Amino acid sequence: GKEKASQLQADGSAFDPTAYAEHLLTFMGLNRLEDEDSDGEGPSGGYLPQDAWQRLGNKVQGCFRTAPSFHFMLGSFLAEPPAPRQRVE
Amino acid sequence: SSQVQRGLERLTPAQVDRKGHKVKPVVSGSLLIFRWQKLVQFILIKDQKKVPIKRADIVRHVVKEYRNIYPEIMKRVTRTFEQVFGLNLVEIDIAHSRITCEHHLKQNINKLETESKRKPGELASMSLGDHRTGLLFVILSIIFMKGGVVKESVVWNTLRKLRVEPGEKHEDFGDVKKLVTEEFVRQKNLEYVRIPHTDPVEYEFRWGLRAETEVSKLKMLQL
Amino acid sequence: MARPMTESHRRFLQIMMTSGIIELSKAKSLIRHCCDDQSAHAQLDEFIDVINAQLQPMFMQIRKGMSEDDGRQYYALVNMAETDVTRMSSDYADNELELFRKTMDLIVDSENGSASSTDILNCADSLQTKKMKKKEVEHVLNRLVQDKWLNEKQGDYTMSTRCIIEMEQYIRNVYQDLVKPCYMCHSLAFQCQMCENPECGIKVHLPCVARYFKSHIDPQCPACKEYWPHEIPVLRSESASQ
Ligand SMILES: [Zn+2]
Ligand SMILES: [Zn+2]
């Protein structure tokens, strides 16, 4: 955070994608493996959990003032009688 | 219109002043008849996708023949959103925005945003961010760190390091390119603009109007 | 005369909009959290009544219901209107909603209030709106579970508490005699046990069975007094907040 701020003050375009990506991957729960030869996806090998992006979303949610939206099921479709079928008595 | 006339005639006894003259109601009679509640519903539902709502759609689907009192209706609805939901109904006139290609479309667009006076993080645990929020955050922060505008290639290069490939179908995002260059743009979270005189065509990203009002740059830096 | 909403009510409502449904004890602590004055004992029912009074004109309500899984009380923010405007809701496509309706049909028809993924997949072929491939069906079912409309356990799908609370009236209207309320709590019963006496046939929710028959050596049907032949379930934990 503070490194980013000082980077910005120094030079608006001094942005290092690799460093930033590493920073984010930590938030996303990257499991960095000790040995480099397993997985090896690019410069940072390691196992990214399935909910990696969800984790990041949770972490950054506080930056957003987006209004919550209203979700419902009733009334979202036209009520139709169910198909007639055999009822075992 | 005759309906407006009929509405204005229905004054309640309270709206008679001391001299017995009929007082023009502060809230016009037709507004008393118009079911603004349906418009609140409409806006809540249209806001599900976070794409700004056009005035034309509001008039066509809900306001209809009461369009001449549209401002009063919107005032009532705005107040309801504030008092009941704690939400700001905001009008954006994109004709005056920097998006020159949409310059000729005169639209009043409404969107919702929340006015949260609470300290950051307090209620954060209750409102879950999702994967799209994460992706949007990354792109917005790249643009921010690059001084407010960034070439498309820089964004994809960074996302590639996060295992997101524009050409490939992503586990969480599906067609990422479509999500970023179309949906996020429709929502006014991003601007995706062609850089003039580029061949082959190149594009650049900026923060969209929605991001400008909903995202706190200060909080981004604090992460 | 309706009491006015305060900032605390609005905070709570916004969280209800995001979560959709919340368990009773969590609702209580959330209300304390939302109130500026932490020491104020905002009575749960009173607090929610204030919000409901304002939501009523928009045909929205915060309604209470019991979970068929854990027997606890939950509050859900629900829609109560069925109009041309509500049908503009865009969370699910038409064919996805049709699949959801077919899933409800299967659940209503079943003995144990659940539908297997196999049966649901079979429905996908005969959708009237637009057919769905297996992958699409899996994707929709995942979303329905994530959005808390269905619960999933070992490939079987049941109606969630949120679904039952919001859809109760719809289900009664559409399915009529095909559904039955629980004899004990009178809410619709899907995951339940039934009296084997053909002249009785009452249904009781599994948690309601657990509560009613707790420490009964010789369980009898509360309606007809015949022997209750089913295994009496045990509630995981009796919630102290009941
Ligand atoms: Zn019951
Ligand atoms: Zn019986």
Side-chain angles (χ1 to χ4, degrees):
Chain A
K2 287 191 189 115
E3 309 93 63
K4 274 198 277 203
S6 57
Q7 250 184 357
L8 213 60
Q9 280 160 6
D11 170 12
S13 59
F15 164 66
D16 181 1
T18 311
Y20 187 51
E22 289 295 312
H23 182 65
L24 289 170
L25 286 167
T26 315
F27 277 141
M28 289 158 80
L30 179 77
N31 189 356
R32 289 170 213 277
L33 304 171
E34 287 300 321
D35 41 347
E36 274 297 309
D37 49 31
S38 56
D39 216 359
E41 290 208 32
S44 63
Y47 170 72
L48 206 59
Q50 208 208 9
D51 65 342
W53 283 99
Q54 181 95 35
R55 283 193 205 196
L56 182 64
N58 281 343
K59 188 99 186 128
V60 303
Q61 182 62 35
C63 301
F64 291 80
R65 293 168 59 193
T66 314
S69 36
F70 179 45
H71 302 279
F72 54 90
M73 193 52 88
L74 180 75
S76 62
F77 53 86
L78 212 48
E80 278 162 20
R85 46 212 189 286
Q86 296 280 333
R87 189 85 178 122
V88 180
E89 291 303 326
Chain B
S1 77
S2 57
Q3 276 162 317
V4 176
Q5 279 306 308
R6 264 184 265 130
L8 286 170
E9 279 156 34
R10 287 209 221 156
L11 294 169
T12 62
Q15 284 157 313
V16 173
D17 70 14
R18 284 201 206 110
K19 289 185 189 154
H21 297 146
K22 278 193 176 164
V23 176
K24 188 175 171 186
V26 173
V27 170
S28 77
S30 46
L31 187 57
L32 292 171
I33 301 167
F34 176 79
R35 281 160 295 132
W36 52 267
Q37 299 91 333
K38 203 173 181 194
L39 181 53
V40 173
Q41 262 185 352
F42 180 81
I43 291 171
L44 276 172
I45 291 163
K46 282 300 206 181
D47 193 59
Q48 284 170 346
K49 285 278 182 259
K50 293 298 170 194
V51 175
I53 308 155
K54 294 184 207 153
R55 179 192 167 128
D57 284 342
I58 290 174
V59 172
R60 176 158 34 110
H61 289 113
V62 191
V63 172
K64 299 183 189 172
E65 68 269 24
Y66 292 90
R67 55 163 58 79
N68 54 331
I69 52 159
Y70 181 91
E72 283 113 316
I73 293 170
M74 285 317 281
K75 242 184 256 169
R76 181 76 204 255
V77 165
T78 305
R79 208 170 66 226
T80 303
F81 274 114
E82 268 172 28
Q83 289 175 350
V84 179
F85 298 91
L87 300 174
N88 266 353
L89 186 60
V90 168
E91 199 168 282
I92 340 166
D93 181 2
I94 66 161
H96 294 119
S97 73
R98 279 177 287 103
I99 317 168
T100 52
C101 61
E102 288 179 71
H103 198 55
H104 61 286
L105 292 169
K106 267 178 281 175
Q107 292 171 341
N108 287 341
I109 304 173
N110 296 332
K111 68 181 167 107
L112 291 178
E113 57 177 87
T114 136
E115 221 179 70
S116 158
K117 296 182 192 112
R118 276 256 163 157
K119 282 166 282 187
E122 272 195 41
L123 293 178
S125 59
M126 291 302 303
S127 60
L128 298 167
D130 67 352
H131 49 273
R132 285 177 176 201
T133 312
L135 179 65
L136 178 62
F137 173 85
V138 173
I139 300 171
L140 289 174
S141 53
I142 295 169
I143 300 169
F144 179 37
M145 286 187 282
K146 288 290 268 177
V149 59
V150 73
K151 268 202 209 167
E152 183 175 6
S153 52
V154 176
V155 170
W156 293 118
N157 285 340
T158 316
L159 288 176
R160 218 163 259 127
K161 297 181 204 296
L162 299 171
R163 327 248 170 115
V164 174
E165 207 46 72
E168 285 169 18
K169 191 162 184 214
H170 190 271
E171 182 73 37
D172 294 316
F173 306 120
D175 185 344
V176 194
K177 177 134 191 192
K178 194 168 180 203
L179 172 62
V180 172
T181 61
E182 288 178 35
E183 195 166 322
F184 282 165
V185 173
R186 258 202 309 271
Q187 292 174 337
K188 302 274 182 254
N189 277 312
L190 293 175
E191 276 180 30
Y192 181 61
V193 180
R194 195 181 145 156
I195 304 171
H197 317 302
T198 51
D199 181 25
V201 181
E202 282 175 45
Y203 289 83
E204 58 190 18
F205 283 109
R206 288 169 200 262
W207 279 40
L209 280 174
R210 180 187 287 276
E212 291 288 351
T213 46
E214 286 182 2
V215 182
S216 161
K217 291 186 168 104
L218 183 65
K219 288 186 187 156
M220 282 177 92
L221 287 172
Q222 287 169 350
L223 274 174
Chain C
M1 190 64 180
R3 278 177 53 209
M5 298 260 297
T6 67
E7 194 71 3
S8 329
H9 296 104
R10 291 188 275 267
R11 279 184 207 126
F12 183 84
L13 178 57
Q14 286 195 12
I15 290 167
M16 286 304 296
M17 283 170 81
T18 307
S19 319
I21 185 166
I22 187 170
E23 192 261 321
L24 182 101
S25 60
K26 291 213 168 65
K28 283 188 176 162
S29 60
L30 181 59
I31 287 171
R32 276 197 300 275
H33 186 87
C34 289
C35 288
D36 286 317
D37 180 5
Q38 295 282 325
S39 65
H41 290 287
Q43 271 286 4
L44 178 66
D45 288 329
E46 220 180 276
F47 189 88
I48 290 183
D49 282 345
V50 169
I51 301 174
N52 276 340
Q54 302 296 324
L55 289 178
Q56 229 243 308
M58 273 83 72
F59 297 96
M60 291 164 69
Q61 285 288 273
I62 297 177
R63 288 185 70 190
K64 198 159 59 170
M66 183 192 80
S67 160
E68 295 194 324
D69 295 301
D70 59 20
R72 293 204 175 112
Q73 290 293 311
Y74 286 77
Y75 281 94
L77 176 66
V78 301
N79 170 47
M80 315 236 290
E82 295 181 79
T83 66
D84 55 328
V85 165
T86 61
R87 280 191 287 278
M88 292 176 187
S89 180
S90 55
D91 288 338
Y92 294 95
D94 286 341
N95 63 343
E96 294 173 336
L97 290 171
E98 198 193 340
L99 186 79
F100 179 72
R101 278 204 298 285
K102 291 225 145 60
T103 306
M104 281 202 289
D105 289 350
L106 289 167
I107 289 170
V108 166
D109 259 350
S110 72
E111 292 264 310
N112 57 358
S114 74
S116 70
S117 43
T118 319
D119 288 342
I120 299 171
L121 275 164
N122 287 338
C123 289
D125 282 331
S126 55
L127 289 177
Q128 285 183 327
T129 42
K130 192 176 141 190
K131 286 202 196 135
M132 249 192 240
K133 286 171 269 195
K134 182 173 176 191
K135 255 282 181 202
E136 290 175 88
V137 174
E138 282 167 6
H139 189 69
V140 178
L141 288 174
N142 280 342
R143 279 176 56 217
L144 284 164
V145 171
Q146 239 179 21
D147 293 344
K148 303 176 193 164
W149 297 113
L150 294 174
N151 286 334
E152 187 266 334
K153 195 150 96 180
Q154 295 167 336
D156 287 332
Y157 291 85
T158 52
M159 280 197 252
S160 69
T161 312
R162 183 186 190 184
C163 182
I164 296 172
I165 294 175
E166 184 168 275
M167 303 293 282
E168 171 128 12
Q169 200 49 51
Y170 169 94
I171 294 169
R172 280 186 206 254
N173 288 340
V174 167
Y175 295 100
Q176 301 198 346
D177 293 336
L178 298 173
V179 294
K180 228 176 194 164
C182 166
Y183 187 81
M184 304 309 303
C185 72
H186 313 295
S187 288
L188 288 178
F190 297 100
Q191 295 177 74
C192 56
Q193 293 178 350
M194 195 162 109
C195 175
E196 299 281 294
N197 179 357
E199 271 157 54
C200 177
I202 62 152
K203 285 187 172 180
V204 184
H205 286 123
L206 297 173
C208 297
V209 171
R211 287 200 186 106
Y212 181 76
F213 287 117
K214 195 164 81 166
S215 52
H216 275 45
I217 309 156
D218 211 358
Q220 288 176 323
C221 169
C224 71
K225 307 302 175 202
E226 289 269 308
Y227 176 67
W228 193 262
H230 310 285
E231 185 184 327
I232 310 298
V234 177
L235 274 178
R236 261 169 280 144
S237 59
E238 279 296 338
S239 179
S241 61
Q242 292 296 331

